[in-house]
């Protein structure tokens, strides 16, 4: 597609459940980012992929969070044993080149009951 | 660490009014600076950027100047329209501009 696509757009789950959020970046973009945005806050960095490898995962809050990008295109953010505090909008972005513009998807809104 | 601070609170103003949103930063190196905008129901999109001191970024009537001496990157527009209603985020590139650190954002509401 023309832009960054994220699915699902909304996800409601129960505390303790496992969740996967998918990001399909702009074709040809080598760098892919995951951010988390809580209500009233700016996006908070989680992880950055360059190609298939995680170049920087220092923003992942704990070991319940994991992300993969096996073929250097689509990425999946995985959250185990979800907690109510994980409720937020999860944003994906991609870019090409070293200092190019970040293109964001519309986000996946996760609600943990 | 590297960070961005935006002025507190939403901004409500009338159409054709002058808009300023303050942004200051703390950085160890020489980061690029950005303003992103989020219109209702849409994803974040780049509004403008500046890559070095004294650069001015501009787009859609908005401007911001990279001021190293005051560590600021304030966003301005001379005459706002209802369609400018959105949330505006200031950001800086960190770790060699490999990722962005965002401010909390400012909700701007323009009333006709």
């Amino acid at each position: 597609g023309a832009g960054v696509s994220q699915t699902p757009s909304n996800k409601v789950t129960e505390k303790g459940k496992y969740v996967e959020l998918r990001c399909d970046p702009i074709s040809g973009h080598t760098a892919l980012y995951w951010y988390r945005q809580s209500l009233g806050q700016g996006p908070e960095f989680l992880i950055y992929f360059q190609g298939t490898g995680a170049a920087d995962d220092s923003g992942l809050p704990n070991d319940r969070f994991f992300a993969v990008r096996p073929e250097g295109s689509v990425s999946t953010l995985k959250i185990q044993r979800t907690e109510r505090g994980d409720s937020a909008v999860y944003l994906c972005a991609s870019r090409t080149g070293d200092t190019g513009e970040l293109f964001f998807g519309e986000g996946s809104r996760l609600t943990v009951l | 660490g590297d960070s961005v601070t935006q002025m507190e609170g939403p901004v409500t103003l009338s159409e054709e009014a002058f808009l300023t949103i303050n942004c200051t930063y703390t950085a160890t190196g020489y980061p690029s600076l950005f303003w992103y905008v989020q219109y209702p129901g849409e994803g974040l999109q780049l509004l403008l950027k500046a890559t070095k001191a004294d650069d001015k970024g501009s787009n859609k009537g908005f401007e911001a100047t990279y001021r190293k001496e005051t560590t600021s990157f304030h966003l301005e527009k001379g005459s706002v329209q209802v369609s400018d209603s959105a949330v505006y985020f200031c950001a800086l590139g960190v770790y060699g501009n490999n990722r962005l650190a965002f401010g909390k954002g400012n909700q701007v509401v323009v009333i006709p």
Side-chain angles (χ1 to χ4, degrees), chain A residues 35-100:
Chain A
Y35 281 80
R36 177 170 70 175
Q37 187 175 16
S38 301
L39 193 63
Q41 302 296 315
E44 172 193 18
F45 171 79
L46 295 177
I47 186 170
Y48 151 54
F49 288 89
Q50 184 64 45
T52 59
D56 183 353
D57 64 358
S58 62
L60 295 177
N62 52 59
D63 61 6
R64 294 188 298 105
F65 288 74
F66 190 71
V68 295
R69 194 186 185 200
E71 297 178 358
S73 177
V74 171
S75 176
T76 304
L77 178 66
K78 308 180 181 194
I79 310 173
Q80 297 179 318
R81 305 183 304 280
T82 52
E83 299 177 358
R84 292 194 180 88
D86 298 336
S87 296
V89 177
Y90 289 82
L91 300 172
C92 179
S94 68
R95 68 166 166 79
T96 182
D98 290 335
T99 57

Side-chain angles (χ1 to χ4, degrees), chain B:
Chain B
D2 294 0
S3 65
V4 166
T5 301
Q6 290 184 235
M7 53 191 278
E8 290 290 328
V11 178
T12 302
L13 60 170
S14 299
E15 205 167 21
E16 298 183 3
F18 183 86
L19 170 69
T20 300
I21 305 176
N22 290 341
C23 170
T24 57
Y25 68 90
T26 302
T28 51
Y30 301 95
S32 295
L33 298 170
F34 306 81
W35 277 99
Y36 275 78
V37 59
Q38 189 170 30
Y39 298 105
E42 299 184 17
L44 280 160
Q45 53 187 277
L46 180 66
L47 179 61
L48 53 85
K49 68 177 183 181
T51 57
K52 60 184 188 298
D54 300 325
D55 268 3
K56 178 187 283 187
S58 61
N59 187 24
K60 298 182 180 180
F62 290 88
E63 291 184 341
T65 301
Y66 189 156
R67 302 280 188 205
K68 188 179 170 191
E69 61 276 11
T70 54
T71 61
S72 65
F73 193 55
H74 304 323
L75 183 68
E76 296 181 336
K77 185 172 185 180
S79 176
V80 293
Q81 305 300 312
V82 172
S83 58
D84 294 324
S85 298
V87 183
Y88 292 81
F89 295 92
C90 186
L92 81 161
V94 297
Y95 298 102
N97 292 319
N98 277 327
R99 58 171 155 115
L100 299 183
F102 285 87
K104 289 186 176 182
N106 287 101
Q107 172 89 51
V108 172
V109 177
V110 180
I111 51 179

Side-chain angles (χ1 to χ4, degrees), chain A residues 1-58:
Chain A
V4 176
S5 176
Q6 291 187 247
T7 55
S9 55
N10 275 287
K11 176 70 176 178
V12 180
T13 191
E14 294 180 343
K15 181 175 179 296
K17 298 291 187 183
Y18 170 81
V19 165
E20 288 191 354
L21 306 175
R22 175 190 166 106
C23 173
D24 197 345
I26 293 172
S27 177
H29 281 195
T30 54
L32 184 145
Y33 296 77
W34 284 99
Y35 281 80
R36 177 170 70 175
Q37 187 175 16
S38 301
L39 193 63
Q41 302 296 315
E44 172 193 18
F45 171 79
L46 295 177
I47 186 170
Y48 151 54
F49 288 89
Q50 184 64 45
T52 59
D56 183 353
D57 64 358
S58 62

